[in-house]
Amino acid sequence: MSSDTLTKVAAPEDAVPLRIVPQRRLGQWTAAVVVLVLLGLALNSVVRNDAFQWDVVGDYFTTAAVLRGLWLTLWLTALVMALGFALGTLLAACRLSTNPVLRAVSWGYVWLFRSMPILVQLLFWFNIGVLYPEILGIKTVNLLGPVTVAIVGLTLHEAAYAAEVVRGGILSVDRGQIEAAQALGLSRWRRWWKIVLPQAMRSIVPPAGNMLIGTLKGTSIVSVIAVQDLLYSVQLVYHRTYQVMPLLMVATLWYVIVTSVLSVGQYYVERHYARGSERTR
């Protein structure tokens, strides 16, 4: 049998080409419709529920008291994150040190402050004068105001988590990268600044962004020590007007707005440090 005959047998001229039909995903579309309907019903129940008193929400949304509380929440979050990561980076460096004492101290700090609830830490620092009435001749009673207590307590708490985030980011860098930089004769500072840090940031930025958002919402706990943050500001109002739900909605909407802005910023920072990797997509 000739090669032409074989060709005709394998692919006859009157053969009908196969048509590729996409797989039908009826279950997925049904689930999507059900979810959209449920979301629509939930949104409708919130918008049309008179108990939320949306007119009151609009009246108090941009009042001076609420905006002052929002401003304190924002700068408290920024300051705590800056101080927390500065201390956390130092702790991470100690944890990665060859000195066993520094490693032990860093591990003990992280273990202790991750074990204590943040509310307990704030109350502890707020009542430090009970344990130590005098330190170096200075009376500690009323030495630390509510805002200072909030900064100290939140910073020490965040540093414990920041230390693990930074340590994990540094350990994620391949050892071969550091050895290659050493072979090129780069100094220790240039190795860390040019080689280690840019690659470590790919692993540091996502959890750091989550910590930032968590800290923003976590600052609401300082209301228990009378720090006039966003939550405490609306509490002062509804204790006077008894309009609890609409004032809580004011605080909720501001938290949602700010966290949404931070999430967008986190996305672009992650994309910046993911350049050259598959995560860029």
Side-chain angles (χ1 to χ4, degrees):
M1 186 179 294
S2 64
S3 59
D4 294 341
T5 305
L6 289 174
T7 302
K8 290 181 180 180
V9 172
E13 295 181 357
D14 56 347
V16 179
L18 297 177
R19 186 167 63 92
I20 299 176
V21 180
Q23 181 181 0
R24 297 185 178 182
R25 305 181 183 274
L26 183 60
Q28 292 185 5
W29 284 107
T30 303
V33 171
V34 171
V35 169
L36 289 176
V37 170
L38 293 177
L39 286 176
L41 293 174
L43 181 61
N44 181 68
S45 67
V46 171
V47 173
R48 304 189 59 158
N49 191 339
D50 295 334
F52 283 101
Q53 297 178 268
W54 293 108
D55 54 335
V56 179
V57 174
D59 293 338
Y60 284 100
F61 192 70
T62 56
T63 56
V66 172
L67 293 180
R68 282 196 301 269
L70 175 64
W71 170 245
L72 191 147
T73 295
L74 293 177
W75 75 255
L76 181 62
T77 301
L79 182 60
V80 166
M81 285 297 295
L83 295 177
F85 263 89
L87 180 57
T89 302
L90 179 61
L91 291 169
C94 293
R95 187 77 181 275
L96 297 172
S97 172
T98 56
N99 190 317
V101 176
L102 294 179
R103 290 203 308 270
V105 170
S106 176
W107 179 88
Y109 178 97
V110 173
W111 166 77
L112 177 63
F113 282 92
R114 288 202 307 178
S115 302
M116 295 174 60
I118 182 59
L119 179 57
V120 174
Q121 295 183 44
L122 290 177
L123 294 176
F124 175 85
W125 290 108
F126 192 73
N127 297 281
I128 191 67
V130 177
L131 297 176
Y132 300 98
E134 188 175 320
I135 298 178
L136 300 176
I138 302 175
K139 294 187 180 297
T140 57
V141 179
N142 299 326
L143 178 63
L144 299 179
V147 176
T148 305
V149 168
I151 294 173
V152 172
L154 291 175
T155 296
L156 295 177
H157 178 77
E158 292 298 316
Y161 290 90
E164 291 300 282
V165 169
V166 174
R167 186 175 71 91
I170 294 174
L171 292 177
S172 68
V173 179
D174 186 77
R175 181 65 186 175
Q177 298 286 325
I178 302 176
E179 294 175 350
Q182 291 175 333
L184 292 175
L186 296 179
S187 64
R188 184 180 181 87
W189 170 253
R190 287 179 63 83
R191 288 200 303 268
W192 279 95
W193 185 254
K194 297 292 185 180
I195 305 297
V196 177
L197 185 60
Q199 297 183 68
M201 289 299 289
R202 295 177 183 174
S203 300
I204 292 175
V205 170
N210 293 334
M211 282 183 59
L212 175 60
I213 294 175
T215 302
L216 172 72
K217 297 181 296 183
T219 55
S220 61
I221 202 170
V222 302
S223 61
V224 300
I225 56 174
V227 176
Q228 294 190 17
D229 69 320
L230 178 58
L231 179 60
Y232 191 76
S233 298
V234 300
Q235 285 177 333
L236 290 177
V237 176
Y238 71 61
H239 285 158
R240 186 179 68 252
T241 63
Y242 301 102
Q243 295 170 317
V244 178
M245 290 308 301
L247 269 301
L248 288 179
M249 285 304 301
V250 169
T252 300
L253 290 175
W254 273 120
Y255 282 122
V256 170
I257 292 172
V258 177
T259 53
S260 299
V261 173
L262 293 178
S263 298
V264 173
Q266 177 185 350
Y267 166 77
Y268 284 104
V269 173
E270 285 185 20
R271 193 172 71 169
H272 171 76
Y273 284 105
R275 291 176 302 175
S277 68
E278 292 183 358
R279 277 184 282 181
T280 306
R281 295 178 297 179

